[in-house]
Amino acid sequence: KEALGEVLNGDRLVSAPYKLNFREEKDSSVVCKKKLSKDEVVFFRKAVEKDYYFQMYYDDLPIWGFIGKVDKEGKADPSEYKYYLYKHIQFDVLYNKDRVIEISARMDPHLLVDLTEDKEVDAEFMYTVKWKETDTPFEKRMERYSMSSSLPHHLEIHWFSIINSCVTVLLLTGFLATILMRVLKNDFIKYGQDEEAADDQEETGWKYIHGDVFRFPKYKSLFAAALGSGTQLFTLTVFIFMLALVGVFYPYNRGALFTALVVIYALTSGIAGYVATSFYCQLEGTNWVRNLLLTGCLFCGPLFLTFCFLNTVAIAYSATAALPFGTIVVIVLIWTLVTSPLLVLGGIAGKNSRAEFQAPCRTTKYPREIPPLPWYRSAIPQMAMAGFLPFSAIYIELYYIFASVWGHRIYTIYSILFIVFIILLIVTAFITVALTYFQLAAEDHEWWWRYINSIFVFISPMLFALLF
């Protein structure tokens, strides 16, 4: 029976016809005989052409293998290619005393079914089972599956990525230190010690708009909801990393990651309600109930619409990614009975514990007009820059994550991923501080929304990659 995470991942487990009794060897045992019709030949040929592979589990150990091959040797024209379906699998199983340690599947390249022509063919599918004893203890049987990620040349790429990110952090640190120490230090001292003398001097740049910087942003309810949802997602990410580092997401714990995402998101909804409502009340908002509803729908709403579209497509193509009705009911019940009540409780706590917004300087009654800015200082270029630099710090690690999502690789080096995540946070914070200073120096005081939007610019390449 599949767990919730396996169903969400699109896994549908069925019993395979192969019988692998412990230490019972078999040699070319017949699984079945079948006459493939023309339509089935065309179906399998397309699958072979697209490199389809199967995935099976034996004693919770995953096995992969391609279902066929394309013979392109000596043929320049694709119409001359030969398509073959494997009809013999050999299972090699290693055991230590009474425990299975390792299993692999090999295809016999000499026993094939020709799928090149659209005609009926007879196929006899067979399998062989070989058992061999090994000294590897049961506790170390999963090291084989993490070996591909931990090979020296792979680790070298990971560490190169980390070094590249660290260089970016050092450059940004030096850049910010130069600004803060050389440009702002004297101004801070002047404004902190002798306010009357500072008022008599002519103000320029960011000092010219100090009375407009802390003016409340437009659409403050939506802004507070975005802040609350972002805080919840950040908390969710931290909890996921904690579980990964203690070894919860070991390779044969199938679906654990998706299950943890659903459960932890439901349990952390109170954080979103608390942060959003508390900040909204600080911004002198009055309709906190509407803000709470907006917070609950800001992430779940687009996610639900995306799910409806993708699930409809999956149903149309009869794909296993289409969620069963029972799973949808379970998710709705979790959202209704856990997520929503915790969101409301968090909102009530945030409303009752709100504090007055304390701006370090008095806000003027009317906003100052923003002067015309060059194109590279407008919102879109700066948002793109704020998203590009953090993305460049982690793009190498994203390759391995996507290879795990789409391919048959297992991601196991969560410690390196956690280091990259910390670097990502530092780079994002530094670039936000730097670009905010440049924006204020250009006398543009509408900074609240721009850098929340920058985060979405950073996330959008990953979302597109996952969806398409």
Side-chain angles (χ1 to χ4, degrees):
K1 184 179 180 180
E2 297 94 347
L4 176 62
E6 291 179 276
V7 178
L8 295 176
N9 195 33
D11 294 340
R12 304 294 182 268
L13 301 181
V14 296
S15 296
Y18 308 101
K19 304 298 180 183
L20 275 67
N21 296 326
F22 189 70
R23 296 185 63 179
E24 181 181 318
E25 295 197 352
K26 295 184 179 181
D27 188 12
S28 300
S29 297
V30 177
V31 179
C32 69
K33 297 180 181 180
K34 178 160 180 72
K35 179 183 287 293
L36 300 179
S37 64
K38 292 181 181 180
D39 292 338
E40 290 173 332
V41 169
V42 174
F43 180 82
F44 276 113
R45 185 168 65 241
K46 290 181 178 179
V48 170
E49 183 182 8
K50 295 179 180 179
D51 290 331
Y52 270 65
Y53 64 90
F54 64 82
Q55 179 172 341
M56 295 189 287
Y57 295 94
Y58 183 72
D59 193 31
D60 282 332
L61 296 176
I63 319 164
W64 300 281
F66 289 97
I67 66 172
K69 70 174 184 176
V70 183
D71 184 10
K72 303 179 181 180
E73 187 175 354
K75 303 174 181 65
D77 189 357
S79 62
E80 298 178 354
Y81 291 168
K82 298 288 186 181
Y83 299 89
Y84 298 102
L85 181 69
Y86 293 122
K87 66 176 184 179
H88 185 269
I89 304 177
Q90 176 171 326
F91 297 99
D92 297 311
V93 191
L94 302 182
Y95 69 95
N96 186 350
K97 297 179 181 179
D98 61 342
R99 308 303 293 268
V100 175
I101 304 300
E102 183 181 323
I103 183 170
S104 60
R106 291 186 296 157
M107 305 300 160
D108 193 330
H110 305 293
L111 297 176
L112 306 168
V113 178
D114 194 345
L115 305 174
T116 307
E117 299 180 6
D118 295 343
K119 64 178 183 180
E120 294 184 349
V121 293
D122 293 322
E124 184 179 53
F125 296 95
M126 300 173 292
Y127 70 106
T128 298
V129 184
K130 299 293 184 182
W131 291 83
K132 184 178 180 181
E133 192 170 7
T134 180
D135 296 331
T136 304
F138 179 78
E139 293 76 14
K140 295 184 178 181
R141 70 172 186 165
M142 297 312 300
E143 290 184 356
R144 169 178 176 264
Y145 299 94
S146 59
M147 190 178 300
S148 61
S149 300
S150 302
L151 290 175
H153 65 279
H154 282 298
L155 287 177
E156 185 177 343
I157 294 174
H158 287 290
W159 286 113
F160 172 78
S161 172
I162 292 176
I163 293 173
N164 173 63
S165 302
C166 289
V167 170
T168 305
V169 171
L170 291 176
L171 290 176
L172 287 174
T173 305
F175 183 62
L176 285 178
T178 301
I179 293 176
L180 296 178
M181 297 301 294
R182 294 186 178 182
V183 180
L184 303 180
K185 183 178 179 181
N186 294 332
D187 292 325
F188 286 155
I189 295 175
K190 178 180 64 177
Y191 276 85
Q193 295 180 355
D194 192 0
E195 294 184 359
E196 294 183 359
D199 291 337
D200 295 337
Q201 298 181 10
E202 183 181 357
E203 297 177 337
T204 58
W206 65 273
K207 301 182 289 295
Y208 194 64
I209 58 170
H210 70 274
D212 297 287
V213 171
F214 295 100
R215 189 180 308 280
F216 294 157
K218 299 177 181 178
Y219 313 110
K220 54 187 176 184
S221 179
L222 182 60
F223 186 88
L227 185 64
S229 296
T231 305
Q232 180 188 5
L233 294 178
F234 175 75
T235 307
L236 169 66
T237 305
V238 172
F239 275 110
I240 290 295
F241 270 116
M242 291 173 59
L243 294 177
L245 293 175
V246 299
V248 173
F249 305 133
Y250 46 89
Y252 57 89
N253 190 3
R254 301 188 301 272
L257 177 59
F258 283 94
T259 303
L261 285 172
V262 173
V263 174
I264 296 177
Y265 178 81
L267 296 178
T268 55
S269 58
I271 297 176
Y274 178 85
V275 173
T277 306
S278 176
F279 193 74
Y280 177 70
C281 292
Q282 285 189 49
L283 298 180
E284 300 179 0
T286 55
N287 198 342
W288 67 275
V289 176
R290 185 180 64 181
N291 173 254
L292 198 60
L293 293 175
L294 183 60
T295 305
C297 298
L298 187 62
F299 179 77
C300 292
L303 182 65
F304 176 74
L305 295 177
T306 305
F307 160 74
C308 290
F309 172 74
L310 295 179
N311 205 56
T312 303
V313 174
I315 293 173
Y317 283 92
S318 300
T320 58
L323 293 187
F325 179 75
T327 304
I328 297 176
V329 171
V330 170
I331 295 177
V332 171
L333 289 176
I334 291 175
W335 190 85
T336 305
L337 301 179
V338 180
T339 305
S340 298
L342 290 178
L343 181 71
V344 173
L345 291 176
I348 295 174
K351 174 182 175 296
N352 294 332
S353 62
R354 70 183 186 275
E356 185 178 353
F357 186 81
Q358 298 289 342
C361 57
R362 185 176 66 256
T363 302
T364 57
K365 186 174 182 180
Y366 299 104
R368 190 180 300 275
E369 183 180 358
I370 299 175
L373 300 175
W375 67 270
Y376 56 86
R377 281 197 168 185
S378 58
I380 300 300
Q382 287 207 355
M383 285 164 52
M385 184 185 300
F388 174 76
L389 284 177
F391 182 80
S392 65
I394 65 166
Y395 73 96
I396 295 179
E397 206 64 30
L398 284 179
Y399 165 78
Y400 291 94
I401 296 175
F402 290 152
S404 176
V405 172
W406 292 323
H408 51 271
R409 295 185 181 180
I410 297 177
Y411 196 91
T412 56
I413 44 179
Y414 295 105
S415 56
I416 290 181
L417 184 62
F418 183 70
I419 295 174
V420 174
F421 175 69
I422 297 299
I423 293 175
L424 169 65
L425 296 180
I426 297 174
V427 172
T428 303
F430 281 4
I431 195 63
T432 301
V433 171
L435 292 182
T436 301
Y437 170 76
F438 285 129
Q439 181 180 355
L440 297 179
E443 301 181 15
D444 182 0
H445 53 79
E446 294 182 351
W447 60 274
W448 293 80
W449 270 108
R450 184 175 295 185
Y451 295 101
I452 281 191
N453 294 334
S454 303
I455 297 174
F456 289 99
V457 172
F458 160 64
I459 292 176
S460 59
M462 291 187 287
L463 295 180
F464 280 114
L466 285 172
L467 291 176
F468 301 107

